[in-house]
Amino acid sequence: MTSIDKPTDHRSAASDAGAPHSTTDADARAVTEAALFEAFGGVRGMVETVLPGLLFVTIYTINADLHVSAIAALAVSLVLGVARLVRRDTVKHAFSGVFGVAFGVVFAMMTGNAKDFYLPGMLYTLGLSLAYILTAVAGVPLIGLVLGPIFKENLSWRTRNPGRKKAYTRASYAWGFILLAKCAILFPLYWWADTTQLGWVLVSLKIPPFLLAVWLTWVFLAKAPAPIDVFAEMEAAEEAEKAEKAAKAAKAAKEQGES
């Protein structure tokens, strides 16, 4: 097995070099927190997730007008998306909320049933929960596919960092079962409860399960080996190749001069 194939633990290497464990662990946790913040949108992302649905159910509770409630929810979602674009934030965060709300609005308008405003999001949550679980079972955990590029490790965790793969697998199971439990609450309410009851329960379940899943992901990854920076490795390989070519050229020039 070559060195490039061996699992890498950057924290151990730092410790061998004389860096204290506490400092290295703190750095690893800080990197993990930053990556999770970037991946899931942070506090602002949570506000953008809750606000359209909260506005919809509030207006519908007051006047039971599907059209006004739907238009208000879509309008605030568009404003939030445009605000992200103006600030040059990630396009993914700018448009994901808009598309989600738009699907709900269109579906509710087509059926005339206000509860259907929530149905596309519920189906998406169900599909996402199954994706997390099935990819974890298959050995390619979805949370690793999402966070790998952010940590600059891409898919190196699959073959070169087994401890990190284990952490991603646990995190994916956590996300999957938490979202599945959320669906187990919401889908019966879709059939049995009225629109306002479903809406208020759904809004109340937006943040707590999400925070629990993010926290568990942070716990698993904070205890895992540090990510392998494959981009740094590629840059180092390119620099080494350039240095080798320069050395060969210098040697050839020297030999030519001696002859």
Side-chain angles (χ1 to χ4, degrees), residues 70-109:
I71 291 172
L74 183 58
V76 74
S77 181
L78 286 170
V79 169
L80 293 171
V82 170
R84 275 197 177 270
L85 291 178
V86 170
R87 292 170 58 91
R88 298 183 180 179
D89 288 344
T90 307
V91 175
K92 174 186 71 175
H93 296 314
F95 285 109
S96 58
V98 175
F99 286 143
V101 174
F103 277 122
V105 169
V106 170
F107 202 64
M109 293 291 191

Side-chain angles (χ1 to χ4, degrees), residues 152-163:
K152 299 181 180 179
E153 60 181 335
N154 285 351
L155 296 179
S156 62
W157 50 266
R158 289 199 62 203
T159 55
R160 299 173 56 195
N161 207 338

